[in-house]
Amino acid sequence: MDNRPIGIFDSGLGGLTVLKEMRKLMPHEDMVYFGDCGRVPYGTKSKETVIKYTMQDIKFLMSKNIKMIIIACNTASACSFELVKGTLSIPVIEVIDPGANAAVRESANRKIGVIGTTGTVSSGIYEKEIMNLNPKAEVYSAACPLFVPLAEEGWWDNEIAVKTAEEYLAPLKEKEIDTLVLGCTHYPLLQKTIAKVMGGNVKLVNSGFEVAKVAESLLKDLDLQSGSDSKQTSEFYTSDSTEKFELLGSSFLGEKISSAKKIDIEKY
Ligand code: DGL
């Protein structure tokens, strides 16, 4: 039993799509969320910069006496997980492996598409993970960098979102994939638009739910589950305007956020 909270972070609001699934699956676990909205996007930055940011995000969350960290950002997971794992005194979960596993499980024709930020796609990490799981799979990737600002702006299903999706997804449609991994935690916000453009035969994998399942089972295995029966609480921190975080974050989370705090992440 361990009543300390779970720490979750992302470059911005995208990780709230993971937090949402975590809260649903683990209603008695307290959570601390950090969204680095002052420095979003990570996906267009160099690997060195993303590693530096990730280390600072982790250092901040560690100051909150957490029992587990979820890197709820594909870009940070792709660039830093190998460096981070094993260096902390608490377990760390990344978002790529759970998404890759779900894609291999879901795909019938073994033609799998992956969309993500430029950083995630150019790392080739999904191809590697998927091919390890099933060497017969065919993996087609596309970077969709504009999906992140569209998601952060709340433009999830307007005409611009649809046009952008049509442009980015056209090459994947030609490959006749039957499964598409939303390899960026911002993308579930555009899920409706992406589904519309891809058509009904393509299954979309939102790794938030998969990550929550991995976290739940790891807590159980390590005997770190909360002993409390009370409803969980979440604390929210951001490196930019709390007003914007609360306003848009509430729609990301599907629940009102009213007490976000601003921190200076450069101090960590
Ligand atoms: N949400 C992040 C991800 O999953 C990155 C978005 C960004 O900062 O570019 O990759």
Side-chain angles (χ1 to χ4, degrees), residues 10-12 14-15 40-44 72-76 95 117 120 148 183-186:
D10 177 46
S11 60
V40 70
Y42 283 11
T44 52
C73 173
N74 289 259
T75 314
V95 284
T117 65
T120 300
V148 173
C184 170
T185 52
H186 281 72

Side-chain angles (χ1 to χ4, degrees), residues 242-259:
T242 53
E243 289 78 17
K244 188 172 174 204
F245 184 91
E246 288 172 0
L247 187 73
L248 268 178
S250 301
S251 348
F252 269 58
L253 194 61
E255 223 174 284
K256 189 153 176 50
I257 300 174
S258 53
S259 52

Side-chain angles (χ1 to χ4, degrees), residues 20 34 44 54 57 59 89-90 100 133 153 188 195 235 238 249 268:
K20 186 176 176 177
F34 172 63
T44 52
T54 303
D57 302 343
K59 205 164 164 202
S89 53
I90 56 170
L133 293 164
E153 198 56 37
E235 281 176 40
T238 176
Y268 292 87

